[in-house]
Amino acid sequence: MVTAAKAEASSSGFPAPESGSAIDTKYIDVTLAILGNHGDEVDSLDAEKEKKLRRKFYWNVIGLLSAINLLLFIDKTSLGYAAILGLFEETGISKEQYNNLGTFFYVSEQ
């Protein structure tokens, strides 16, 4: 098994990973190509840069999740108002179908 992994890695032009390595041989193609081409251009992050990058990432993720939750809330509320204002009579849906519509909103939030 080890010789097959070494043969596979050497045939692709990349060195085989050491035993206990974090990168599996079938995923090293792109990772090692990027590291080989640009690895010396990137400095390691110090604590301050890492904190700044993490904060920027978190704010982007939190902003996106907040926007998605807002849209889900608006959709769910408009479905409730539609039921009050005559959704059943105008569309001809049953209460079971309406419950299924409401369930989709709760599933999408998870």
Side-chain angles (χ1 to χ4, degrees):
M1 187 80 158
V2 175
T3 57
K6 286 183 180 179
E8 180 183 327
S10 63
S11 67
S12 65
F14 298 110
E18 302 294 323
S19 64
S21 160
I23 301 173
D24 191 16
T25 56
K26 62 182 176 180
Y27 300 115
I28 64 171
D29 300 354
V30 176
T31 305
L32 286 179
I34 291 172
L35 286 175
N37 293 335
H38 305 288
D40 55 347
E41 298 172 8
V42 179
D43 295 332
S44 61
L45 292 175
D46 59 352
E48 184 63 32
K49 286 183 181 179
E50 184 178 355
K51 184 178 177 182
K52 186 177 179 182
L53 180 64
R54 184 177 291 129
R55 190 177 309 127
K56 182 177 180 180
F57 175 73
Y58 285 162
W59 277 111
N60 285 329
V61 169
I62 287 172
L64 181 63
L65 290 177
S66 297
I68 290 171
N69 280 333
L70 177 67
L71 291 174
L72 287 172
F73 175 75
I74 291 171
D75 283 344
K76 195 173 10 173
T77 355
S78 63
L79 184 63
Y81 284 127
I84 293 171
L85 296 174
L87 176 75
F88 297 112
E89 295 82 22
E90 290 181 11
T91 60
I93 65 170
S94 66
K95 292 191 185 228
E96 291 82 20
Q97 291 171 328
Y98 176 77
N99 287 336
N100 289 338
L101 285 173
T103 303
F104 293 143
F105 291 110
Y106 289 110
V107 169
S108 63
E109 287 180 0
Q110 304 300 323

